[in-house]
Short mmCIF file of all heavy atoms in Angstrom, two decimals:
data_model
loop_
_atom_site.label_atom_id
_atom_site.label_comp_id
_atom_site.label_asym_id
_atom_site.label_seq_id
_atom_site.Cartn_x
_atom_site.Cartn_y
_atom_site.Cartn_z
N PRO A 135 2.15 29.98 -5.75
CA PRO A 135 2.38 29.75 -7.12
C PRO A 135 3.82 30.20 -7.48
O PRO A 135 4.50 30.85 -6.70
CB PRO A 135 1.36 30.62 -7.81
CG PRO A 135 1.21 31.81 -6.87
CD PRO A 135 1.35 31.20 -5.45
N ALA A 136 4.25 29.85 -8.71
CA ALA A 136 5.55 30.34 -9.14
C ALA A 136 5.47 31.89 -9.06
O ALA A 136 4.49 32.50 -9.52
CB ALA A 136 5.81 29.92 -10.58
N GLY A 137 6.44 32.53 -8.40
CA GLY A 137 6.41 33.96 -8.26
C GLY A 137 5.60 34.42 -7.03
O GLY A 137 5.57 35.59 -6.75
N GLY A 138 5.09 33.46 -6.28
CA GLY A 138 4.33 33.85 -5.10
C GLY A 138 5.27 34.38 -4.02
O GLY A 138 6.50 34.18 -4.13
N LEU A 139 4.71 35.10 -3.03
CA LEU A 139 5.63 35.71 -2.01
C LEU A 139 4.87 35.91 -0.71
O LEU A 139 3.65 35.89 -0.64
CB LEU A 139 6.17 37.04 -2.54
CG LEU A 139 5.10 38.11 -2.82
CD1 LEU A 139 5.03 39.11 -1.72
CD2 LEU A 139 5.44 38.76 -4.13
N TYR A 140 5.73 36.11 0.31
CA TYR A 140 5.21 36.45 1.64
C TYR A 140 6.28 37.43 2.24
O TYR A 140 7.41 37.04 2.43
CB TYR A 140 5.12 35.21 2.53
CG TYR A 140 4.66 35.54 3.91
CD1 TYR A 140 3.33 35.37 4.27
CD2 TYR A 140 5.57 35.89 4.91
CE1 TYR A 140 2.89 35.61 5.54
CE2 TYR A 140 5.14 36.14 6.23
CZ TYR A 140 3.82 35.99 6.52
OH TYR A 140 3.39 36.25 7.80
N ARG A 141 5.85 38.63 2.45
CA ARG A 141 6.77 39.62 3.11
C ARG A 141 6.38 39.81 4.51
O ARG A 141 5.15 39.75 4.87
CB ARG A 141 6.70 40.97 2.32
CG ARG A 141 7.33 40.85 0.99
CD ARG A 141 7.76 42.25 0.47
NE ARG A 141 8.62 42.11 -0.72
CZ ARG A 141 8.13 42.09 -1.95
NH1 ARG A 141 6.81 42.25 -2.18
NH2 ARG A 141 8.94 41.96 -2.92
N ARG A 142 7.34 40.02 5.39
CA ARG A 142 7.08 40.21 6.78
C ARG A 142 6.07 41.34 7.00
O ARG A 142 6.21 42.43 6.43
CB ARG A 142 8.40 40.53 7.50
CG ARG A 142 8.26 40.52 8.96
CD ARG A 142 9.64 40.76 9.59
NE ARG A 142 9.56 40.63 11.02
CZ ARG A 142 10.57 40.63 11.76
NH1 ARG A 142 11.76 40.73 11.30
NH2 ARG A 142 10.43 40.53 13.06
N HIS A 143 5.08 41.08 7.82
CA HIS A 143 4.07 42.08 8.13
C HIS A 143 3.36 41.73 9.40
O HIS A 143 3.56 40.58 9.95
CB HIS A 143 3.00 42.16 6.95
CG HIS A 143 2.23 40.92 6.84
ND1 HIS A 143 2.74 39.81 6.12
CD2 HIS A 143 0.98 40.57 7.22
CE1 HIS A 143 1.83 38.86 6.18
NE2 HIS A 143 0.75 39.29 6.79
N THR A 144 2.54 42.60 9.95
CA THR A 144 1.75 42.31 11.17
C THR A 144 0.30 42.26 10.82
O THR A 144 -0.21 43.29 10.31
CB THR A 144 2.02 43.43 12.19
OG1 THR A 144 3.39 43.51 12.54
CG2 THR A 144 1.22 43.16 13.47
N ASP A 145 -0.30 41.10 10.96
CA ASP A 145 -1.76 40.97 10.67
C ASP A 145 -2.56 41.65 11.77
O ASP A 145 -3.45 42.40 11.52
CB ASP A 145 -2.10 39.50 10.63
CG ASP A 145 -1.94 38.90 9.23
OD1 ASP A 145 -1.78 39.64 8.26
OD2 ASP A 145 -1.87 37.66 9.14
N VAL A 146 -2.24 41.31 12.99
CA VAL A 146 -2.98 41.87 14.15
C VAL A 146 -1.97 42.43 15.13
O VAL A 146 -1.28 41.66 15.79
CB VAL A 146 -3.84 40.77 14.85
CG1 VAL A 146 -4.59 41.34 16.00
CG2 VAL A 146 -4.75 40.14 13.84
N GLY A 147 -1.85 43.71 15.25
CA GLY A 147 -0.97 44.33 16.15
C GLY A 147 -1.32 44.05 17.62
O GLY A 147 -2.51 43.84 17.90
N TRP A 148 -0.38 44.12 18.51
CA TRP A 148 -0.65 43.80 19.90
C TRP A 148 -1.62 44.74 20.56
O TRP A 148 -2.35 44.43 21.45
CB TRP A 148 0.66 43.74 20.72
CG TRP A 148 1.36 45.05 20.88
CD1 TRP A 148 2.32 45.54 20.04
CD2 TRP A 148 1.20 46.01 21.89
NE1 TRP A 148 2.77 46.75 20.46
CE2 TRP A 148 2.09 47.09 21.61
CE3 TRP A 148 0.37 46.10 23.03
CZ2 TRP A 148 2.12 48.22 22.42
CZ3 TRP A 148 0.46 47.22 23.80
CH2 TRP A 148 1.35 48.27 23.55
N ARG A 149 -1.78 45.97 20.03
CA ARG A 149 -2.75 46.88 20.61
C ARG A 149 -4.17 46.45 20.27
O ARG A 149 -5.11 46.90 20.92
CB ARG A 149 -2.56 48.29 20.02
CG ARG A 149 -1.23 48.91 20.51
CD ARG A 149 -0.90 50.18 19.83
NE ARG A 149 0.47 50.38 19.88
CZ ARG A 149 1.08 51.41 20.46
NH1 ARG A 149 0.36 52.40 20.96
NH2 ARG A 149 2.41 51.55 20.51
N ARG A 150 -4.34 45.58 19.30
CA ARG A 150 -5.69 45.04 19.03
C ARG A 150 -5.83 43.64 19.53
O ARG A 150 -6.69 42.88 19.06
CB ARG A 150 -5.93 45.07 17.52
CG ARG A 150 -6.00 46.48 16.91
CD ARG A 150 -6.46 46.48 15.52
NE ARG A 150 -6.12 45.26 14.83
CZ ARG A 150 -6.25 45.10 13.51
NH1 ARG A 150 -6.67 46.05 12.76
NH2 ARG A 150 -5.97 43.97 12.90
N GLY A 151 -5.02 43.23 20.54
CA GLY A 151 -5.21 41.97 21.17
C GLY A 151 -4.41 40.88 20.43
O GLY A 151 -4.69 39.69 20.76
N GLY A 152 -3.49 41.16 19.52
CA GLY A 152 -2.73 40.17 18.83
C GLY A 152 -1.52 39.73 19.64
O GLY A 152 -1.41 39.94 20.87
#
Side-chain angles (χ1 to χ4, degrees):
L139 62 101
Y140 179 96
R141 290 203 169 91
R142 188 176 186 173
H143 65 280
T144 302
D145 274 342
V146 180
W148 66 271
R149 292 172 205 239
R150 293 190 332 191

